[in-house]
Amino acid sequence: MRLVFAGTPEVAVPSLDALLASGHEVLAVVTRPDAPSGRGRRLHPSPVAQRAAEAGLEILRPERPRDADFVARLTELAPDCCPVVAYGALIPQKVIDIPRYGWVNLHFSLLPAWRGAAPVQHAIINGDQVTGASTFSLVKEMDAGPVYRTISEPIGPTDTAGDLLHRLSLSGARLLVETLDGIESGDLRPETQPDERISLAPKITVADAEIDWSGSAVDIDRRIRGCYPAPGAWSTFRGERFKINCGTPDDRDDLAPGVLEVTKRSVRVGAGQGSVLLGQVQAQGKKPMPAADWARGVQFADGEKLGG
């Protein structure tokens, strides 16, 4: 098929690579406009735009997918299908209708579970044992279209959102190509999502990533892993934000929520149930480092704590 691929972040790049290596023809790429990042806040192309440039593909960067110039160019390209992975903007119906096979979305969840922008993060935070990826036909309603195929992926006890997204970006890329193959051959028909088991996965904000030390150590560990690498779980120490990149739940239940126990080799924090052994942390204005290294540079008072 003749394709126009839509995607923006790093997790979409394996799908673009898989399509380039497939028997389909990628005519162009649609991605979000260049965005400021790093020191100096200079504009940088998205990871998908960078890969498309390396491959010599035409790159379309509409401010909005309804922009007249973009609609006209997509109509002129006349793709058979538009595969899309984490593009980052809603596609209006008149644009969905341009390719004869519509838009096929690769979403990193087992739909109808965790519809939305952060399915992997919510699966970890919720304590799911299994997640996966789904391909579905894009419709106007968010992630509600009929599903072509799914694959499952177990969530390990130490998996972070970054770990899981990396694995799913690779297996999902294969799923996307197989789905397009099946659509082209006529062997694959999408099935309507059930009305039951629908859950939503909105974007995780910085406020969502704050640790509540009155919760259980197990729940705190899940939040830390679900928020890594972005936006990063955090608490406060002496009034300043204090990021926690990893931790391990511990059964010991002898510390009040948030209270620190510091030894030469470990830093433990009390929780509502159990406690958490801190792994890598990042104090305000500092680089990430092991918690024990951070603690060696701090003079602690008795009963000092993280959070409110």
Side-chain angles (χ1 to χ4, degrees), residues 12-241:
V13 172
S15 287
L16 175 56
D17 282 335
L19 292 170
L20 289 169
S22 74
H24 303 288
E25 180 186 5
V26 182
L27 305 171
V29 159
V30 186
T31 191
R32 299 297 297 152
D34 295 356
S37 65
R39 288 189 176 181
R41 307 299 292 167
R42 295 175 56 187
L43 291 177
H44 291 276
S46 74
V48 164
Q50 293 179 49
R51 180 67 189 97
E54 293 169 2
L57 297 172
E58 178 179 351
I59 303 171
L60 307 174
R61 300 180 176 90
E63 288 289 337
R64 295 174 298 276
R66 64 170 53 87
D67 290 351
D69 289 348
F70 169 68
V71 174
R73 181 57 183 148
L74 189 63
T75 303
E76 187 177 54
L77 287 166
D80 297 310
C81 185
C82 291
V84 52
V85 184
Y87 167 54
L90 294 176
I91 309 298
Q93 189 63 53
K94 68 176 183 180
V95 177
I96 293 175
D97 292 339
I98 291 174
R100 62 174 174 151
Y101 292 116
W103 292 56
V104 174
N105 195 343
L106 170 65
H107 192 257
F108 298 122
S109 79
L110 294 171
L111 291 172
W114 303 126
R115 294 176 178 173
V120 166
Q121 293 85 341
H122 281 275
I124 293 174
I125 291 170
N126 191 58
D128 292 2
Q129 301 296 305
V130 178
T131 185
S134 306
T135 50
F136 69 95
S137 181
L138 201 69
V139 296
K140 189 176 178 181
E141 295 76 21
M142 184 182 66
D143 300 334
V147 172
Y148 284 105
R149 293 191 61 187
T150 61
I151 53 171
S152 60
E153 175 73 32
I155 300 177
T158 62
D159 273 340
T160 67
D163 296 333
L164 206 48
L165 276 170
H166 174 68
R167 296 205 302 273
L168 288 171
S169 72
L170 299 177
S171 57
R174 294 191 292 273
L175 177 71
L176 183 61
V177 172
E178 291 167 2
T179 299
L180 296 177
D181 291 346
I183 293 172
E184 183 178 36
S185 68
D187 295 335
L188 196 57
R189 294 282 187 275
E191 296 186 2
T192 301
Q193 294 185 33
D195 293 331
E196 302 80 22
R197 297 182 289 106
I198 295 173
S199 51
L200 302 180
K203 180 180 178 180
I204 303 286
T205 67
V206 171
D208 295 330
E210 182 176 7
I211 294 172
D212 176 4
W213 295 104
S214 68
S216 74
V218 170
D219 285 345
I220 291 170
D221 168 58
R222 289 171 179 164
R223 185 160 298 272
I224 292 170
R225 291 188 290 113
C227 291
Y228 187 81
W234 61 278
S235 187
T236 54
F237 178 67
R238 298 177 180 172
E240 293 187 332
R241 187 170 295 180

Side-chain angles (χ1 to χ4, degrees), residues 251-267:
D251 290 337
R252 290 175 58 189
D253 209 6
D254 55 343
L255 294 173
V259 170
L260 290 157
E261 178 194 74
V262 179
T263 70
K264 288 184 178 179
R265 296 184 178 180
S266 68
V267 179

